[in-house]
Amino acid sequence: MRSLAQSTFTFQSEHEADTDKLGILLSTYLQPGAVITLDGDLGAGKTRFSQGFARAMGISEHVNSPTFTIIKEYEGAGLPFYHMDMYRISQEEADELGLEDYFYGAGVTLIEWSSLIEDLLPPDRLSITITQEVDHTRVFHLTPHGSPYESWCVQMKENGHLHDGTNE
């Protein structure tokens, strides 16, 4: 496992439109095999982010949390979208699902509650943790693992969309 002492970038969302904007920004960088993990407390906005992200990928179907089905597959405009929710599954059960086929496949994988299967995650991924502030603002903490994800975050920072510890 890589060190977690790497750069973390932040994105502040005061409205659902802001959350959608982050999904739109990320969708411009997507490539086959991209993995985005999503963690945060109940009600933090994981599913809301997933919905906006899916729309940005060109998915017109209603996207909801796959809490009981574990994995839902959608056809995006350019890439398939694999939406996963690990909230009700053990790491041992997740290990039997063949997740590697998704992680290294032709689509984009977004995993809610990914911290519950930490040992099964690919080393290269974009980890997002959502925190909710007292004023109901959501702060998205993006931690890139691997050079493509680092490049995404650096470009979004250079374009004024993300912040890091050097300019807050």
Side-chain angles (χ1 to χ4, degrees):
M1 192 47 121
R2 293 177 187 222
S3 166
L4 295 178
Q6 50 213 58
S7 298
T8 295
F9 300 83
T10 59
F11 178 88
Q12 188 164 319
S13 174
E14 296 180 10
H15 307 284
E16 288 184 349
D18 295 335
T19 298
D20 289 345
K21 180 180 177 182
L22 179 58
I24 292 166
L25 291 168
L26 287 171
S27 74
T28 64
Y29 297 100
L30 297 178
Q31 56 199 23
V35 176
I36 299 174
T37 65
L38 202 52
D39 288 285
D41 292 338
L42 284 171
K46 294 179 294 299
T47 300
R48 181 65 187 84
F49 171 80
S50 299
Q51 292 168 337
F53 182 76
R55 277 193 302 280
M57 287 187 65
I59 296 166
S60 58
E61 295 173 63
H62 177 69
V63 171
N64 57 11
S65 185
T67 301
F68 295 102
T69 56
I70 312 303
I71 302 170
K72 289 187 178 178
E73 298 182 20
Y74 302 90
E75 262 318 304
L79 296 168
F81 175 53
Y82 312 126
H83 186 202
M84 304 178 180
D85 187 321
M86 298 295 140
Y87 186 69
R88 298 192 184 279
I89 191 169
S90 70
Q91 184 159 303
E92 294 75 26
E93 292 167 322
D95 196 23
E96 296 173 6
L97 292 175
L99 298 178
E100 304 81 23
D101 293 340
Y102 293 99
F103 297 160
Y104 301 104
V108 173
T109 303
L110 188 144
I111 309 160
E112 293 187 38
W113 297 100
S114 66
S115 60
L116 299 174
I117 62 162
E118 183 75 29
D119 293 340
L120 302 177
L121 297 174
D124 289 351
R125 64 188 185 278
L126 179 63
S127 298
I128 301 175
T129 302
I130 306 170
T131 57
Q132 186 173 349
E133 304 298 310
V134 175
D135 65 356
H136 301 290
T137 297
R138 266 66 175 189
V139 179
F140 290 76
H141 305 269
L142 291 77
T143 305
H145 302 268
S147 59
Y149 305 103
E150 179 74 31
S151 173
W152 297 4
C153 290
V154 167
Q155 287 177 38
M156 285 190 288
K157 178 183 181 277
E158 289 172 353
N159 290 328
H161 301 297
L162 298 182
H163 302 280
D164 66 16
T166 62
N167 61 0
E168 294 187 331

